[in-house]
Amino acid sequence: MLIQVCLYFYCKFLWRCLKFVMRKLTGRCELQRICYNTKPGASRTMKIETSLRDSKSKLLQTSVSVHPDAIEKTIEDIMELKKINPDINPQLGISLQACLLQIVGYRNLIADVEKLRREPYDSDNPQHEEMLLKLWKFLKPNTPLESRISKQWCEIGFQGDDPKTDFRGMGLLGLYNLQYFAERDSTAAQQVLSDSLHPKCRDITKEEISKFSKAEWEQKRMDKAIGYSFAIVGINITDLTYNLLVSGALKTHFYNIAPEAPTLSHFQQTFCYLMHEFHKFWIEEDPIDIMEFNRVREKFRKRIIKQLQNPDMALCPHFAASEGLINM
């Protein structure tokens, strides 16, 4: 343990020495080198975030958690601390502002999402009830809901006759995401719901067919595809999206698609994308029964995390103008 601590401080000392030498050689501080040598997006913002957080300066350390309205003043203070003339280096301030808006915005997004997750569904709250009824309307536009407490809720994937009990784990966040998906991408949501109720076996390639014996192939043809409960899976994918956000794994995605601060809409769009992708992944995996859900979900989670390790990754660039990331 003592050796590890000593090694940590030794590496930190070497890193500070290297930064000092680089500044003397290039005439630029680390923030300048990152902004001038790294393309905008996740690569740049994550390096800036690490540099600020690991700085020995209190001003730089706290800059990643300032109020959005204080970002401009914070950048002025950083430029003054680093003795950088904004008239000679005008683009540096613009680049730092873009990065700080993303960094601070991500932290604020976590707070907003956490607030929704902690708010329980309240059947006495008219707004909550209205959202729930809208969810039914968007998913089953041609089928009237006979009553608020009804077995019909099982048709869209809830476990019982009152959906409020299914929102306990994710609170209002689960309902917000499901309604967003059903309203903003109604055609796709209705199709995913239909497929979850009436699943179809995935197409099997010729290569796969050749691996089966005649008896195995006949059995495979007789097998039925396994569906899933749409709403319950939606709440589960909400949990997955939430954990990716809190762990920081979604920084790569959000820093690449949001030119400024990522918002709740970005989070909900990401949820929609993950619902689409999980649905396709479920069909590809062709599970034996619903008891394999956790295995399939974990495999899917690992695949998404692996994708997010690519600093150029944007999970769903079609939801936001990724072209809006200006090279500053």
Side-chain angles (χ1 to χ4, degrees):
M1 181 66 180
L2 180 61
I3 296 175
Q4 290 178 327
V5 172
C6 292
L7 185 62
Y8 168 76
F9 283 107
Y10 178 69
C11 291
K12 197 167 185 179
F13 172 75
L14 285 180
W15 176 244
R16 292 196 186 283
C17 290
L18 179 61
K19 287 171 64 177
F20 176 78
V21 172
M22 289 296 292
R23 171 138 197 177
K24 290 298 181 182
L25 289 175
T26 64
R28 293 174 175 175
C29 69
E30 185 178 37
L31 295 176
Q32 287 175 295
R33 295 195 300 272
I34 293 172
C35 288
Y36 294 148
N37 299 328
T38 310
K39 65 181 180 180
S43 295
R44 178 190 289 178
T45 302
M46 292 177 79
K47 286 181 181 179
I48 290 291
E49 187 173 12
T50 300
S51 178
L52 294 173
R53 190 181 59 243
D54 295 345
S55 173
K56 61 183 179 181
S57 166
K58 193 70 175 176
L59 171 64
L60 270 62
Q61 290 175 9
T62 57
S63 64
V64 298
S65 56
V66 298
H67 190 277
D69 294 339
I71 287 178
E72 192 172 337
K73 176 64 168 60
T74 300
I75 292 172
E76 291 176 2
D77 292 341
I78 291 174
M79 301 275 274
E80 183 178 348
L81 176 69
K82 294 292 184 178
K83 296 182 174 56
I84 300 171
N85 188 332
D87 295 326
I88 299 175
N89 301 274
Q91 288 301 310
L92 178 63
I94 297 173
S95 297
L96 282 177
Q97 184 175 24
C99 291
L100 276 181
L101 281 170
Q102 290 183 319
I103 294 165
V104 172
Y106 192 93
R107 291 171 65 96
N108 291 340
L109 176 59
I110 290 177
D112 292 341
V113 168
E114 185 63 34
K115 183 179 179 181
L116 284 174
R117 189 186 74 86
R118 289 179 176 272
E119 185 175 353
Y121 183 90
D122 183 2
S123 55
D124 293 326
N125 187 316
Q127 184 181 3
H128 295 187
E129 287 286 287
E130 182 182 3
M131 288 179 63
L132 182 61
L133 295 174
K134 279 184 176 180
L135 175 63
W136 174 272
K137 181 180 177 182
F138 291 133
L139 289 175
K140 306 277 282 186
N142 300 318
T143 306
L145 184 65
E146 295 174 2
S147 65
R148 168 61 181 79
I149 307 297
S150 169
K151 288 293 184 184
Q152 280 182 288
W153 290 112
C154 296
E155 295 176 21
I156 61 172
F158 287 105
Q159 292 178 320
D161 56 8
D162 191 350
K164 73 176 183 179
T165 58
D166 292 325
F167 292 119
R168 287 173 184 165
M170 282 286 107
L172 271 190
L173 185 62
L175 178 56
Y176 264 78
N177 278 353
L178 283 169
Q179 191 203 330
Y180 187 94
F181 184 33
E183 181 178 6
R184 299 299 181 93
D185 204 357
S186 57
T187 302
Q190 289 171 25
Q191 184 61 56
V192 171
L193 171 62
S194 176
D195 290 348
S196 72
L197 292 170
H198 310 289
K200 299 176 182 178
C201 289
R202 68 179 177 86
D203 294 331
I204 300 177
T205 64
K206 291 182 179 179
E207 287 184 5
E208 289 177 306
I209 292 174
S210 65
K211 295 177 182 178
F212 294 121
S213 67
K214 186 175 181 180
E216 288 174 331
W217 172 238
E218 289 300 321
Q219 180 61 45
K220 191 69 179 173
R221 291 180 63 190
M222 295 296 292
D223 285 345
K224 290 184 178 180
I226 303 299
Y228 56 81
S229 299
F230 175 87
I232 296 300
V233 168
I235 294 170
N236 202 288
I237 297 301
T238 292
D239 176 73
L240 172 61
T241 315
Y242 164 79
N243 281 294
L244 290 173
L245 175 73
V246 173
S247 69
L250 279 178
K251 284 182 180 180
T252 308
H253 167 63
F254 285 139
Y255 290 169
N256 280 328
I257 68 161
E260 295 185 348
T263 64
L264 186 60
S265 291
H266 289 113
F267 177 81
Q268 292 175 310
Q269 289 160 1
T270 304
F271 162 78
C272 293
Y273 170 81
L274 291 176
M275 276 292 287
H276 276 288
E277 291 302 299
F278 181 80
H279 177 66
K280 291 190 292 184
F281 190 74
W282 178 265
I283 295 172
E284 290 170 7
E285 284 295 298
D286 194 17
I288 297 172
D289 55 42
I290 195 64
M291 298 303 291
E292 284 205 88
F293 177 82
N294 287 337
R295 177 192 66 80
V296 175
R297 182 192 185 277
E298 180 60 16
K299 190 174 179 180
F300 176 72
R301 183 189 70 85
K302 288 179 178 178
R303 188 174 78 165
I304 295 298
I305 288 178
K306 185 176 181 180
Q307 291 175 352
L308 290 169
Q309 289 171 348
N310 177 359
D312 296 324
M313 186 64 192
L315 291 176
C316 44
H318 56 286
F319 282 125
S322 56
E323 299 84 8
L325 288 173
I326 303 168
N327 187 7
M328 294 185 286

